[in-house]
Amino acid sequence: MKAKNPSFASVLRYRNFTIFSLAQMISQFGDRLNNMALLGLIGAKAAGSPFAFSQIAIFATLPVIFFGPVSGILADRLNRKWVLVAVDAARTLIVFLIPSLFYLTGNLLLVNLAVFSIFLLGLLFNSAKMSVLPHLVSNKREYLMANAVANFIGRFATFLGLLLGGFIVDLYIWRELGWDGWQVGFYIDAFTYLLSAAFLSTMSLPKFAVKPREKSKQSREIKGLDSVIRASWEDIRSVVSLIRRRSQIRLVYGAVALTVFFMGAAYSLDIMIAQQVFGFGTKGTGVLGGILGIGLILGALFVGNWGKNWKETKLMFWGLLILALLMGLSAFTVNFLLFSVLALVAGFVLSVVLVVQDTLFHRMVPSSFRGRIFAVKELLWAGGFMISAVFLGALGEFLKIFVSYHAALQSLLVACALTIIASLLASLFWGRKKGRGE
């Protein structure tokens, strides 16, 4: 008898997956509300200081760059379920204390340190979350659907948070009650983390799923600082060895790098065209971001229901190729309607690519390595996005000495699109050559 194809409803029948999804929807809505509260705090207390916004971005990025590998090691050694619960409990306390930290000191230093702590804990949470996700369904055939549903719920919660977060923070009733809107935003966010921790604590997972390395000799003999350092170094060496042995894992990492490069280019170049060249302004850019978010939601819905009809590596390849073509087209787009259509299609395709990448990692990587593999992915995202955005932004500033600003941005967008296409064709050529050699 032919097995039924997985569906949104079928994976949501798993109790643990439903609990996990509900917890993520609540906490990711809170994440966006937290962002809005931070913007509200800076706007109210540090108006006229652009560097205040930059500080937040820096303190949010530093944990990934400096502690990315460590988070993966911990996610592979500790009980993953209780890592998720403990992290959300800790974030509850930190976020709840942010208003008090600001009121006591009157400056943003301790707030920035709190942001650093939140994103550091979030790094550990993401490594454990992505490691445990495959164990919430019963077989590998459901991995793609599980990732699609998780992405759909996450994107939907993010969209709602972005849509409603600003309204919640700016509600007039808070002033009537003697509170600042951003203060209430942090308290609501703390409550969402608390709810998430409560839900996650009710999951019942097998021991091999939450702590797959418990029986290893190496795990039992870690005593003292020297042993911790040696064991951590061995963990790093073992994951590097795995990546070197598995060409398919390297292929997915290469695709992740191209995706990050696309996002960095879109952030630093397309937004500048939308804002400064065509005068869409901040509101117009926000609308484009919302349209991109709708595309992300629809893409997750599509890949979950119909992605199984295609080979996942082909979906990833063609998705990246389409993103490159959309980037090239965006260089010559001259009105808001066309920009909106491109943003919608780009969000749709990007969502498919992201879901497929996570699914391929889940299929290819043993459970005991997943924390480190996804930590490396997080490091690649944070470091690659920052480097590409800063480099392309600086290059655009340099080129406008010789040509108009619009022409400089157009040239860079086309160059980035051609770079992605050339990289994809090179990987295809190399893969076929290697296949013939074998």
Side-chain angles (χ1 to χ4, degrees), residues 266-289:
Y267 179 81
S268 58
L269 303 175
D270 275 319
I271 288 179
M272 288 300 100
I273 286 183
Q275 276 194 336
Q276 298 185 19
V277 177
F278 299 117
F280 293 166
T282 303
K283 288 184 178 179
T285 306
V287 171
L288 287 174

Side-chain angles (χ1 to χ4, degrees), residues 126-185:
N126 288 335
S127 295
K129 175 185 76 173
M130 296 308 296
S131 300
V132 83
L133 181 62
H135 300 291
L136 304 177
V137 294
S138 63
N139 60 70
K140 287 188 175 184
R141 291 180 63 253
E142 296 174 312
Y143 285 2
L144 180 65
M145 181 59 71
N147 276 293
V149 174
N151 271 267
F152 174 82
I153 290 172
R155 306 300 179 196
F156 184 72
T158 297
F159 179 76
L160 281 182
L162 291 173
L163 185 66
L164 301 177
F167 292 106
I168 292 173
V169 170
D170 287 339
L171 281 175
Y172 182 73
I173 190 173
W174 308 135
R175 299 189 197 92
E176 291 290 313
L177 295 172
W179 295 337
D180 290 316
W182 56 265
Q183 177 187 8
V184 177

Side-chain angles (χ1 to χ4, degrees), residues 16-96:
N16 288 325
F17 186 82
T18 301
I19 292 171
F20 175 86
S21 299
L22 185 59
Q24 289 312 287
M25 183 174 66
I26 293 169
S27 67
Q28 289 188 40
F29 176 83
D31 286 341
R32 302 291 77 78
L33 191 59
N34 183 52
N35 292 345
M36 293 300 174
L38 282 170
L39 293 176
L41 170 58
I42 294 171
K45 307 300 180 180
S49 175
F51 186 60
F53 292 96
S54 300
Q55 287 179 41
I56 295 294
I58 292 169
F59 278 91
T61 304
L62 286 177
V64 184
I65 295 173
F66 290 108
F67 298 101
V70 176
S71 71
I73 292 170
L74 292 175
D76 283 339
R77 286 192 172 274
L78 302 176
N79 185 304
R80 289 166 177 167
K81 171 188 169 179
W82 293 110
V83 164
L84 296 175
V85 174
V87 166
D88 268 350
R91 290 193 290 191
T92 298
L93 180 61
I94 294 170
V95 171
F96 185 81

Side-chain angles (χ1 to χ4, degrees), residues 269 273 392 395-415:
L269 303 175
I273 286 183
L392 291 170
L395 192 56
E397 291 294 323
F398 174 75
L399 289 177
K400 76 177 186 180
I401 298 173
F402 308 99
V403 296
S404 70
Y405 192 35
H406 188 195
L409 294 175
Q410 284 180 314
S411 300
L412 286 174
L413 282 168
V414 171

